[in-house]
């Protein structure tokens, strides 16, 4: 690509429960110099890491004589849009309460900074560049460590009173389910996300119900479970299928609530494919109201990293 000083770019960072990702993003949506590291456990380390990744990218943009318009941050947690502050977060990002992320990054990087929740960022990216283009009503679900959500109603991202709407991972599906770090019980994220599947698998390992050869407890990933299922491990298969079906229970409720034209799935769990997606679709079909099911198309995103891309869109303004 021929580029000049008039080439305008944004720096984007996505703070997830497992990975911290960053990239330089061009206006037309191309991601350059993508970087991904494990999210450090403490807030201080994560902040330092974020600043170091963004500084590297800023230097890289400088070397390419690209004009950096600003920084966009996609993060788990409830975000005060006006202040650019992470107000509250679950155990996936411990310690991230009342963190004035925008001010911290702005003063360090000397660039304008915008911050939003990762599910909202993903919905924004789908709307601009993905399968949400020209779709007035859709739901974006990011199925990763947690479950991020974004809801677009009549072309607008649904934000609610304080930008805390669409925390779709925290729809409770079990009255008596385990405690979730959001304060509720039995949230769908506890069953159908990467962290949820790992939690369930660990419980089964402890009780001796499941044997996962060559998979130490701290390396139980949805993909590893899916691989075990493919190799004939019936318990692993049942876990993954159950995760898909339970997500279907929550999404059927969302169809009845929002009557979207599309549900756009992204995130690492979609890589499992049909083992997870088939029971998901079947449950949605079985449980949603007929008109709601008949109006919807369930699709998998074709964007490489919707939340990261959405962060850049924030910075482009
Ligand atoms: C959690 C919650 C959501 C977030 C989702 C996906 C926090 C810190 N996170 O439900 O705000 O959208 O996880 O996050 O409260 P990820 O870690 O899978 O990217
Ligand atoms: Zn919850």
């Amino acid at each position: 690509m021929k580029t000049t000083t008039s080439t305008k770019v944004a720096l984007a960072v996505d703070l997830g429960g497992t990975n911290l990702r960053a990239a330089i993003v061009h206006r037309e949506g191309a991601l350059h110099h993508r970087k991904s590291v494990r999210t450090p456990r403490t807030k201080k380390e994560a902040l330092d890491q974020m600043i170091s990744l963004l500084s590297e990218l800023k230097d890289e943009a400088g070397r390419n004589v690209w004009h950096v318009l600003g920084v966009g941050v996609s993060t788990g947690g409830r975000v005060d849009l006006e202040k650019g502050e992470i107000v509250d977060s679950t155990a996936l990002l411990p310690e991230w309460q009342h963190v004035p992320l925008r001010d911290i990054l702005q003063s360090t990087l000397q660039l304008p900074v915008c911050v939003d929740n990762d599910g909202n960022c993903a919905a924004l990216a789908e709307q601009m560049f993905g399968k949400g283009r020209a779709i007035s009503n859709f739901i974006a679900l990011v199925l990763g460590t947690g479950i991020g959500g974004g809801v677009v109603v009549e072309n607008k991202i649904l934000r609610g009173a304080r930008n805390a709407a669409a925390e779709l991972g925290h729809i409770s599906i079990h009255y008596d389910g385990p405690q979730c770090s959001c304060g509720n019980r039995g949230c769908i994220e506890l069953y159908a996300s990467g962290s949820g599947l790992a939690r369930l698998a660990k419980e089964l390992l402890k009780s001796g119900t499941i044997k996962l050869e060559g998979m130490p407890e701290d390396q139980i990933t949805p993909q590893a479970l899916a691989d075990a299922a493919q190799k004939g491990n019936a318990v692993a298969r049942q876990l993954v299928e159950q995760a898909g079906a339970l997500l279907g229970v929550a999404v059927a409720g969302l169809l009845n609530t929002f009557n979207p034209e599309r549900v756009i799935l992204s995130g690492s769990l979609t890589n499992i494919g049909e083992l997870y997606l088939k029971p998901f679709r079947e449950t949605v079909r079985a449980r949603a109201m007929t008109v709601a099911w008949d109006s919807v198309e369930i699709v998998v995103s074709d964007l490489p990293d919707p939340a990261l891309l959405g962060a850049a869109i924030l910075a482009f303004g």
Side-chain angles (χ1 to χ4, degrees), residues 90 169-171 180-185 187 189-190:
T90 67
H170 301 279
I171 295 169
C180 179
S181 59
C182 75
N184 203 346
R185 284 183 172 276
C187 292
E189 186 172 283
L190 293 165

Side-chain angles (χ1 to χ4, degrees), residues 38-107:
R38 299 285 291 187
T39 305
R41 275 345 288 166
T42 71
K43 183 177 75 184
K44 183 178 180 317
E45 285 167 334
L47 263 175
D48 289 349
Q49 182 67 262
M50 197 185 282
I51 289 167
S52 125
L53 286 177
L54 288 168
S55 304
E56 278 174 41
L57 291 173
K58 189 181 171 192
D59 293 347
E60 187 59 46
R63 277 193 288 279
N64 286 286
V65 212
W66 291 337
H67 176 52
V68 182
L69 291 180
V71 177
V73 184
S74 147
T75 174
R78 270 56 61 212
V79 174
D80 181 326
L81 276 185
E82 300 285 305
K83 295 189 188 154
E85 176 182 310
I86 304 182
V87 179
D88 168 50
S89 70
T90 67
L92 289 185
L93 290 175
E95 308 178 63
W96 290 83
Q97 279 94 22
H98 296 291
V99 182
L101 198 51
R102 183 192 62 195
D103 292 353
I104 295 171
L105 295 180
Q106 253 172 208
S107 63

Side-chain angles (χ1 to χ4, degrees), residues 26 64 69 145 147 154 158 229 256:
H26 283 230
N64 286 286
L69 291 180
T145 313
I147 295 183
E154 288 162 15
L158 182 77
N256 295 348

Side-chain angles (χ1 to χ4, degrees), residues 187-200:
C187 292
I188 184 59
E189 186 172 283
L190 293 165
Y191 305 93
S193 66
S195 58
L197 269 170
R199 178 188 71 84
L200 291 166

Side-chain angles (χ1 to χ4, degrees), residues 96-143:
W96 290 83
Q97 279 94 22
H98 296 291
V99 182
L101 198 51
R102 183 192 62 195
D103 292 353
I104 295 171
L105 295 180
Q106 253 172 208
S107 63
T108 319
L109 297 160
Q110 300 298 312
L111 286 166
V113 177
C114 298
V115 186
D116 200 356
N117 169 268
D118 50 11
N120 290 344
C121 286
L124 195 57
E126 297 298 347
Q127 195 177 36
M128 284 270 295
F129 296 113
K131 292 190 174 173
R133 268 175 301 178
I135 305 288
S136 303
N137 299 283
F138 72 87
I139 290 174
L141 271 174
V142 188
L143 307 160

Side-chain angles (χ1 to χ4, degrees), residues 9-57:
V9 297
L11 309 183
V13 64
D14 175 34
L15 175 60
T18 305
N19 295 307
L20 181 57
R21 300 187 179 89
I24 302 177
V25 185
H26 283 230
R27 233 186 219 295
E28 80 290 356
L31 303 174
H32 294 268
H33 303 283
R34 266 167 93 181
K35 296 170 190 293
S36 177
V37 296
R38 299 285 291 187
T39 305
R41 275 345 288 166
T42 71
K43 183 177 75 184
K44 183 178 180 317
E45 285 167 334
L47 263 175
D48 289 349
Q49 182 67 262
M50 197 185 282
I51 289 167
S52 125
L53 286 177
L54 288 168
S55 304
E56 278 174 41
L57 291 173

